[in-house]
Amino acid sequence: MTDPKWAVATERGRYYRDPAGGPDLISVTNCLSSIAKPALLPWAAGMAADVVLADPIGVARRARTEPAALRTALVAAHRQYTEKAQNLGTRVHNRAQAQVLGVPYPADPEVEPYARQLAAWFRLWRVDLAEDVVTVETTVMHRKYGYAGTGDLWVWLPTGLYRRRQLWLIDYKTSAKKPVGTVYDEQPLQLAGLRHAPEWLLPDDTSEPAPRVHRTGLLNLRPRAHRLIEVPSGRAQFRAFLAASRTARYLHTAPSAYTTVVPPWAPGATERKAA
């Protein structure tokens, strides 16, 4: 999706300006950057290995003629893949928003397979875009806990007892390679942060109480498949999310240097007088 209106990129990651003039609010995804992701290291190594396997002769030649440049390229391989995937995800989100709102979207052959899967999901669930969709790409805020985030889709689905309608908060997840059932550990926390934010922004930049969400899920979109996966976002997940947000904010403001302690008899040492 395009950057939300009040989102700003900082050297500490994404934050949101508060339209009411309050302190900046850390983004939901920025909060989760404090969580260790052990799978990323072997994944990044795999991206570098793929570069070598794709052109072993060329890589061997560069290893002899420009080893420093080759090393830089291999180290950056995973970042290039990530940037490409993020760009595709942004375009898919934009296409999905246009699809729900019924507005034109420029032709994008790489995105269309995902759009077809989203349309198939709407048909499967018999979603009336005018009646069942509450809002899309809407920013929510929790000023008390100092965070904000943007949800993808709030939609009524007949998932309650006797097909009673329930309000779902759904986050789109796109990938060209990951299995359609993929769920990462931090994703329930992401949805918990969005779900428990008490207010959302209106188009005129005022806010109002957000509706009560009954259930949350990931809509995994793949070029040839889709799957809605319910993930928990209750109090336990929300407490874990708040802990991650506190950790992230601490790391963003932690000092970058600390005092070296030496014995008082060391050359140049000065003794601190007792108060």
Side-chain angles (χ1 to χ4, degrees):
M1 63 182 174
T2 54
D3 288 338
K5 180 178 180 180
W6 291 94
V8 291
T10 75
E11 61 183 10
R12 300 165 295 151
R14 172 179 281 184
Y15 275 73
Y16 283 78
R17 305 288 189 209
D18 186 342
D24 287 354
L25 307 167
I26 187 173
S27 80
V28 168
T29 52
N30 197 359
C31 290
L32 300 178
S33 65
S34 65
I35 297 177
K37 301 175 178 64
L40 286 182
L41 186 58
W43 172 80
M47 291 293 101
D50 287 344
V51 173
V52 175
L53 295 174
D55 185 17
I57 296 176
V59 169
R61 184 179 300 112
R62 292 188 67 189
R64 294 192 305 271
T65 60
E66 46 179 356
L70 173 62
R71 185 183 187 280
T72 299
L74 293 177
V75 169
H78 73 284
R79 289 196 296 270
Q80 294 173 356
Y81 177 86
T82 299
E83 290 170 0
K84 182 178 179 181
Q86 288 174 341
N87 178 267
L88 175 62
T90 295
R91 285 150 50 211
V92 171
H93 276 71
N94 291 342
R95 178 68 175 87
Q97 183 177 10
Q99 197 168 345
V100 172
L101 298 178
V103 298
Y105 186 84
D108 190 337
E110 191 177 10
V111 165
E112 283 310 304
Y114 299 91
R116 287 194 291 270
Q117 291 300 323
L118 178 59
W121 182 80
F122 283 134
R123 289 195 301 271
L124 176 68
W125 280 91
R126 300 176 182 175
V127 172
D128 184 321
L129 298 181
E131 296 294 329
D132 298 329
V133 174
V134 177
T135 188
V136 295
E137 301 297 340
T138 299
T139 296
V140 297
M141 300 180 300
H142 204 314
R143 290 185 170 106
K144 176 181 177 181
Y145 291 120
Y147 75 84
T150 300
D152 293 337
L153 175 69
W154 281 258
V155 61
W156 291 97
L157 297 177
T159 51
L161 188 63
Y162 304 117
R163 298 187 182 181
R164 180 172 57 88
R165 296 204 315 164
Q166 294 181 310
L167 184 59
W168 282 73
L169 169 56
I170 292 175
D171 195 59
Y172 305 134
K173 298 297 183 185
T174 62
S175 176
K177 297 182 178 180
K178 295 171 188 172
V180 73
T182 300
V183 178
Y184 291 111
D185 292 340
E186 70 275 9
Q187 288 170 339
L189 278 61
Q190 175 189 1
L191 282 165
L194 296 171
R195 177 183 188 175
H196 292 281
E199 55 187 323
W200 61 16
L201 287 178
L202 300 174
D204 64 359
D205 298 331
T206 61
S207 61
E208 70 175 13
R212 176 175 174 265
V213 169
H214 300 108
R215 299 167 77 168
T216 54
L218 306 174
L219 180 51
N220 284 344
L221 298 173
R222 305 295 185 259
R224 297 184 179 181
H226 65 263
R227 184 177 299 178
L228 175 62
I229 302 174
E230 183 171 12
V231 297
S233 58
R235 289 294 170 183
Q237 289 76 27
F238 186 51
R239 286 194 295 270
F241 168 79
L242 292 179
S245 72
R246 288 192 293 270
T247 301
R249 281 196 294 268
Y250 167 77
L251 293 174
H252 292 169
T253 58
S256 58
Y258 297 88
T259 303
T260 300
V261 179
V262 297
W265 55 82
T270 57
E271 291 192 47
R272 182 176 298 174
K273 295 182 179 179

